[in-house]
Amino acid sequence: MTESTAPAAATTAKTSFWEDVIDIFISPAAVFRRREFSSFWAPLAFIAVAIAIITFATFNTLEPAFDAEFARGAGKAMAKNPQVTPEMMEKMRGYTNAGAKYAIGVIMMILIFIVGVLTWLVGKLVGAKQSFQTALVVGAWAEMPRVLGAVIGGVQGLLMDPAKLTGQLSISLSPARFMDPDTANPLVMQIAGRFDLITLWVTVLLGIGLYVTGRVSKGRAVGFAILMWVIGTLPVIQNALRMM
């Protein structure tokens, strides 16, 4: 059976950027059709600035999670290399926390751009017919749930017992939040963390974006989304193996 492909972009009523920020959550296909030939800078900048503000405002409540994560890594690093001292690790912790608090906006911009590039490259593997510019647009708009994720993380930091903030995955919306990072297999836990609701949401939006703008079948769009999820999992696996 041959699946139909998404129709070419049609002329639709213009909407404001803020309307599309809402619609990307409830009618993503329409947003991708309207924004297919627009600039990717507006959604990219909005996501980066919004997450930077949310992270800065809520960092103190989430700091125990960052500290716990760093302490585990520091302990393993010192065990493997006796030349690494607690003083060196404490200095590194300061740099790491400062980067998480002040540089997250820039980091998000870089990551979103990388997602756009991967959307273009992986899209070609499944026969997508989209320009590099459009792939960047899809990558940027598909990352919009990250803003909601930052809000949810901040709220959890305010409401949760700091003792339960045992790492960044402890506030994720994934099975990994129910696992003990001190006893769980790092590889299993990190892969479980990739089944985070926000990550899966972004992945689905990437697939919808490719289906709409890449003129591919639904089957190919699903295959593309799975490939994107797998590619995003590879660095996680590499990091987990270093922790073992």
Side-chain angles (χ1 to χ4, degrees):
M1 180 180 296
T2 303
E3 292 181 298
S4 60
T5 57
T11 302
T12 56
K14 288 185 178 181
T15 58
S16 71
F17 172 78
W18 301 110
E19 287 176 296
D20 282 345
V21 167
I22 296 173
D23 282 352
I24 195 65
F25 294 98
I26 57 179
S27 186
V31 174
F32 288 123
R33 289 191 182 96
R34 289 194 294 263
R35 297 287 172 174
E36 179 176 356
F37 303 107
S38 63
S39 172
F40 68 93
W41 284 108
L44 183 148
F46 171 77
I47 294 169
V49 171
I51 290 180
I53 292 173
I54 295 167
T55 301
F56 181 82
T58 62
F59 186 82
N60 289 343
T61 65
L62 293 174
E63 194 167 8
F66 289 100
D67 287 344
E69 195 87 53
F70 185 85
R72 270 192 305 276
K76 292 180 179 180
M78 288 187 290
K80 291 180 179 179
N81 186 356
Q83 294 182 337
V84 178
T85 65
E87 291 75 17
M88 293 169 62
M89 286 292 98
E90 182 60 25
K91 188 175 182 180
M92 182 64 70
R93 185 185 73 83
Y95 291 141
T96 301
N97 283 1
K101 185 175 183 179
Y102 299 109
I104 188 64
V106 175
I107 293 171
M108 283 304 303
M109 292 182 75
I110 295 172
L111 290 177
I112 293 172
F113 184 81
I114 291 173
V115 169
V117 173
L118 287 173
T119 297
W120 184 67
L121 292 173
V122 179
K124 296 301 180 186
L125 294 178
V126 299
K129 299 177 178 63
Q130 65 177 184
S131 67
F132 181 67
Q133 166 72 18
T134 298
L136 294 178
V137 170
V138 170
W141 279 100
E143 291 287 328
M144 200 64 71
R146 300 290 183 195
V147 177
L148 180 60
V151 173
I152 293 173
V155 171
Q156 290 185 87
L158 290 170
L159 300 179
M160 286 178 63
D161 179 355
K164 295 183 178 180
L165 297 174
T166 56
Q168 295 181 47
L169 290 177
S170 66
I171 59 170
S172 71
L173 303 179
S174 74
R177 72 177 292 139
F178 304 109
M179 302 170 72
D180 185 347
D182 292 322
T183 58
N185 181 289
L187 182 59
V188 174
M189 186 169 183
Q190 290 297 319
I191 292 177
R194 285 288 294 166
F195 288 93
D196 171 67
L197 177 60
I198 300 299
T199 298
L200 295 176
W201 197 345
V202 169
T203 304
V204 170
L205 289 180
L206 286 169
I208 294 173
L210 190 84
Y211 172 68
V212 171
T213 67
R215 322 291 184 243
V216 298
S217 67
K218 290 182 180 179
R220 287 177 179 267
V222 170
F224 161 81
I226 293 173
L227 279 173
M228 290 293 287
W229 186 88
V230 170
I231 290 171
T233 304
L234 295 179
V236 170
I237 292 175
Q238 183 181 26
N239 183 56
L241 293 176
R242 286 202 303 265
M243 296 169 61
M244 295 176 70

